Amino acid sequence: MKEISVIVPVYNAERQIEKCLRSIRNQKNVEIEILCVDDGSTDDSAEMIRRMKQVDGRIRLLPQKNQGAAAARNYALREAEGQYVAFADADDFFLDETALEQMYRTAQRENAGICGAFRCMEQNGRITAMDLHREGTERFPSGRKIYYRDYQYDYHFQNYIYKRTMLIENDIFFPDYRRFQDPPFFVKAMIAAEVFFVVPVEYYCYHFEHETYAFGGHKVNDIVKGLTDILKMSMDAGLKKLHVTAVMRLNESYFWDIAENCVADNPELLLLLTRANESICWEWVDEKICKQRLIKPLQWLLWSAEANNNIFKQCFENKHRYGYSVPLHRLASGGRIVLYAAGNVGQAYYRQLQNVSEFEIVLWVDYNWKKFEAIPGMNVRSPETILDTEYDYVLIALDDYNRAKEAADFLREMGVEEKKLIWGI
């Protein structure tokens, strides 16, 4: 029996697969097998894997018709021989050559179902550390124990190894979705394990560029299905923080993708959104997040059916053009606006509002306003200057819910009226 089976779904990855597999092959002092599932590639991916297999017999090539990453991972899970399984995407790679060894030894010593490590991101050839698990873990060189009830997160499943018998015996596989199949798998595995360990070693490097994709109707439907799975699992397990996170992903992270695909030829999406809404434990969710106990995609559909279609159209055009869209439907014509935050979202909002004659930007502020002083054309001031300004709205330009909420709380403490605060979709 191998110690770790590393599972790599592959689809048209001829440019990246060699780097990925080389980083896995370089792992030291641990018995591994590498299961590459060719998901019906139309390029030379399979041939490149065959050539590498001739050099390293630990590589196994498992071909299948194109069915998506979920089916590929499930196929490999059933074929795997390792005590633990790890997952890698074909355009990502491993970092420290002892990472798998350290994770495996810790998992064995602690009889752990799951063990993880640190994560980095590669963008434009530059590798930067991500925050995941770093704070405090350095004090535990032999592994830090974390209760999932205290963690309650749903992303970055590749950052861990999983005891294979735990997965099989609890029927933990990837749901057959084309998008968002990994968070439900990860949550189900974590709930089964209850605790996990993290060792302070650089392990997984995520290639940022593969984040840039467009969601079609069926993929958006799968996102809603996956989030509904998490809503149900988190409620059954009493995981309030995770439950609210899933609501916020529907409300904010995937809102525009969902709203854009609520069209006549996708009637299933409305049904899926209704089921998601029915899966929410409303005692856990702040009424300010979901007014009238409706998630924002459903609120938007009701509003757009009655509202000015020109505004509806303009919001979508702004989203495509700038990456972020000012919530024009929440601003009264002629409003004087204080724009809060000057990062990517703030700059996108600023450019949009400059092109809309109905609104006037009277002030632009940011908590870290001094770092923008040297940038031409950005007259960003301290938030305290709001107190000396006449305005109708303070528009918070942050796309992260928790940061936006913190900003809203800060502004309330400064004396900004609730009715003048605009944030979120």
Side-chain angles (χ1 to χ4, degrees):
M1 180 179 289
K2 302 294 189 298
E3 292 174 332
I4 298 180
S5 299
V6 184
I7 294 172
V8 187
V10 181
Y11 179 73
N12 289 353
E14 62 180 6
R15 292 185 300 171
Q16 303 96 355
I17 189 61
E18 183 176 359
K19 180 178 181 180
C20 173
L21 293 184
R22 185 170 61 248
S23 74
I24 300 171
R25 292 172 56 202
N26 288 341
Q27 291 295 302
K28 296 179 178 178
N29 304 322
V30 62
E31 289 291 330
I32 66 171
E33 63 172 354
I34 307 169
L35 282 69
C36 298
V37 183
D38 178 45
D39 188 34
S41 296
T42 57
D43 65 0
D44 285 335
S45 295
E47 183 57 35
M48 294 185 70
I49 296 169
R50 289 189 187 95
R51 289 200 295 267
M52 297 186 75
K53 183 179 183 300
Q54 292 177 349
V55 177
D56 192 333
R58 297 174 300 174
I59 296 175
R60 296 170 60 188
L61 176 60
L62 306 176
Q64 69 172 26
K65 295 180 180 179
N66 181 252
Q67 300 173 61
R73 294 183 186 119
N74 290 339
Y75 177 16
L77 261 177
R78 293 184 174 95
E79 293 289 325
E81 298 176 358
Q83 297 173 51
Y84 285 79
V85 292
F87 299 94
D89 288 344
D91 49 355
D92 297 338
F93 53 94
F94 294 168
L95 293 165
D96 192 304
E97 294 179 351
T98 67
L100 283 183
E101 178 200 7
Q102 293 188 51
M103 294 160 70
Y104 175 75
R105 304 303 173 206
T106 300
Q108 283 287 88
R109 184 185 69 245
E110 303 293 344
N111 192 27
I114 300 176
C115 187
F118 292 163
R119 184 180 182 91
C120 294
M121 177 177 69
E122 181 193 45
Q123 185 176 17
N124 299 324
R126 180 182 179 184
I127 296 176
T128 56
M130 298 177 70
D131 293 336
L132 186 70
H133 298 313
R134 289 181 186 274
E135 186 175 354
T137 301
E138 291 83 355
R139 296 186 288 109
F140 300 89
S142 61
R144 175 189 176 194
K145 183 178 182 179
I146 301 174
Y147 287 88
Y148 186 61
R149 182 169 294 279
D150 297 330
Y151 181 57
Q152 295 193 38
Y153 198 59
D154 54 352
Y155 278 10
H156 309 321
F157 82 105
Q158 310 104 320
N159 237 64
Y160 309 84
I161 61 173
Y162 306 82
K163 196 169 187 176
R164 187 168 59 87
T165 53
M166 180 194 75
L167 299 179
I168 302 299
E169 290 171 3
N170 289 279
D171 194 30
I172 300 173
F173 292 92
F174 293 83
D176 188 21
Y177 306 152
R178 287 288 181 147
R179 290 297 313 160
F180 212 83
Q181 71 284 134
D182 41 292
F185 164 86
F186 179 61
V187 168
K188 191 173 182 181
M190 280 290 186
I191 290 174
E194 297 185 356
V195 300
F196 63 101
F197 286 78
V198 177
V199 292
V201 61
E202 302 296 343
Y203 170 46
Y204 198 85
C205 192
Y206 170 75
H207 185 62
F208 179 78
E209 279 72 13
H210 72 185
E211 182 81 351
T212 56
Y213 34 59
F215 294 117
H218 294 297
K219 291 183 179 180
V220 167
N221 292 7
D222 284 349
I223 290 171
V224 178
K225 291 177 185 177
L227 286 167
T228 303
D229 292 343
I230 293 175
L231 286 170
K232 293 177 179 178
M233 286 189 285
S234 59
M235 185 163 62
D236 290 343
L239 302 175
K240 178 180 177 180
K241 177 183 173 183
L242 178 64
H243 197 79
V244 174
T245 297
V247 174
M248 294 315 304
R249 297 207 190 286
L250 285 165
N251 272 3
E252 307 290 342
S253 304
Y254 295 106
F255 170 84
W256 287 107
D257 300 298
I258 294 170
E260 193 166 21
N261 284 279
C262 284
V263 291
D265 62 350
N266 189 10
E268 182 189 19
L269 183 53
L270 179 58
L271 176 61
L272 292 172
L273 288 171
T274 303
R275 289 175 179 169
N277 205 80
E278 292 171 348
S279 301
I280 295 173
C281 177
W282 294 109
E283 288 73 18
W284 290 352
V285 178
D286 192 322
E287 289 185 5
K288 294 175 183 176
I289 298 176
C290 294
K291 296 177 181 178
Q292 300 176 335
R293 296 196 169 188
L294 289 174
I295 52 176
K296 287 183 179 178
L298 288 178
Q299 293 178 33
W300 178 277
L301 290 176
L302 293 173
W303 171 81
S304 63
E306 303 172 357
N308 186 330
N309 286 327
N310 290 330
I311 295 178
F312 184 73
K313 180 180 178 182
Q314 189 171 359
C315 286
F316 277 113
E317 289 176 347
N318 287 341
K319 176 66 169 61
H320 284 294
R321 182 177 178 184
Y322 300 103
Y324 305 94
S325 178
V326 172
L328 298 173
H329 56 293
R330 299 179 62 190
L331 305 173
S333 182
R336 296 166 297 178
I337 296 173
V338 173
L339 185 58
Y340 183 95
N344 292 335
V345 183
Q347 293 175 43
Y349 278 17
Y350 183 79
R351 293 194 296 272
Q352 291 173 54
L353 291 170
Q354 280 185 313
N355 296 325
V356 182
S357 59
E358 292 91 339
F359 307 108
E360 177 188 3
I361 301 176
V362 295
L363 183 65
W364 195 359
V365 302
D366 192 284
Y367 186 78
N368 296 311
W369 61 280
K370 288 188 177 181
K371 77 176 186 178
F372 298 100
E373 283 185 307
I375 302 178
M378 292 187 66
N379 184 23
V380 180
R381 308 283 297 281
S382 165
E384 285 73 20
T385 55
I386 294 175
L387 302 174
D388 302 318
T389 305
E390 293 186 6
Y391 59 88
D392 299 300
Y393 304 106
V394 177
L395 177 59
I396 299 175
L398 295 166
D399 63 341
D400 180 84
Y401 170 76
N402 291 323
R403 291 179 61 210
K405 185 177 184 300
E406 289 174 0
D409 292 340
F410 168 70
L411 291 165
R412 291 188 193 100
E413 292 177 3
M414 283 182 54
V416 176
E417 298 177 65
E418 184 67 37
K419 65 181 181 180
K420 293 186 177 183
L421 274 174
I422 304 294
W423 57 292
I425 300 299

